Amino acid sequence: MLVHEWEPFNAESPRHALAGRLTTGVESFYSRNHGPIPHIDPDAWRLRVDGLVDRPLTLSLGELRERFAAREIMATLQCAGNRRQGLIEVRDIPGEDPWGPGATSTALWTGVPLADVLAAAGLRAGAEHVAFSAPDVSLLADPPQPYGGSIPLTKAISGEVLLAWGMNGRPLPQAHGAPLRVVVPGWIGARSVKWLREITVQAEPSANYFQATAYRLVPPEAQAGPGVGVSLGPVALNCDILRPDGTAPVPPGPTEVTGYAYAGDDRSVVRVDVSLDGGRTWEQAELDAPVSPWSWQHWRLTVDLPPGETVLTARAWDSTAATQPESPASVWNPKGYVNNSWARLHVTATP
Ligand code: MTE
């Protein structure tokens, strides 16, 4: 792992750990935390479901597993800060970690659909948002507060949003939210709240700092503050290069370039192009079909690498025919979210 901070623990997957793998091993799955990782006794833990519901629920993990049918979903999590490094190179973003392309990973999640739990609680009139609360207190929040967030009810009852206790066929590790976390496929990782302890159905989005102030796209010259900018939801179309990884010289000549591409929510990636001349000319990569509607797609292309330094460039296109913006400068924002500009990797070819 490439560790950005030890406390709170923030580490990204190195490119080679993501390359060519549908799912990411738990040991190299990125870890994004805003406070200390809590230690929760799974036997004493209870999930509370309240707010605009007919029947508030208090459920143990055993009751959750017994009362509701389990579902498995392969889904990519992607932090809104993925690839922030490219924005920092344009203009500094103080106080935020310089994430490379590894603040994203994919796992097979096991849990119960949030929709089924909400149906058991019964939704009351006025229900529009579903808020999640966790016990980890973040000193980065203003004022310091436990982590939380919310998603609109339409997404919450869509069936793909899981309350997950399993990851890659094993119990959910503590660092990734045990005993229970939310997995919101297709949405920024921030909404997949770990160490979940309360679900509140409400009329408004969560007032938690990480919903109301952070994880919002703020215009370049504005300052982040409550309600400023747009709350981030579905993941923007993005891609990056995983192999070669730019850490060591490679031989010139035929070289396989591989990477991931991902388009959140109801979009899929339909094409990936690679350029060796900064985007003047492009060649189309071979793109894997989506294995799950909620997971990334890998791509590959063999290029003829000249001796010396080359900048490999990649861009993806999605099922709405949208493509990625060319420059990180055009998407720079004060908190450094959603850098989905063209992927660029410097490689040196030496015989
Ligand atoms: N949930 C809690 N309770 N605390 C957190 O700090 N970080 C969020 C989300 N859920 C966070 C959280 C963010 S920003 C991301 S990107 C994902 O968790 C990362 O999940 P992971 O650490 O399992 O990769």
Side-chain angles (χ1 to χ4, degrees), residues 121-191:
L123 295 170
R124 289 200 352 226
E128 293 288 347
H129 296 267
V130 177
F132 309 117
S133 316
D136 52 317
V137 174
S138 173
L139 301 177
L140 306 170
D142 182 19
Q145 58 197 273
Y147 190 87
S150 64
I151 55 174
L153 184 68
T154 44
K155 179 70 178 176
I157 59 171
S158 62
E160 69 263 12
V161 179
L162 288 189
L163 303 179
W165 59 74
M167 185 177 179
N168 290 344
R170 313 280 301 266
L172 190 64
Q174 192 186 341
H176 294 292
L180 193 78
R181 79 174 298 165
V182 188
V183 174
V184 186
W187 279 47
I188 61 158
R191 310 302 174 222

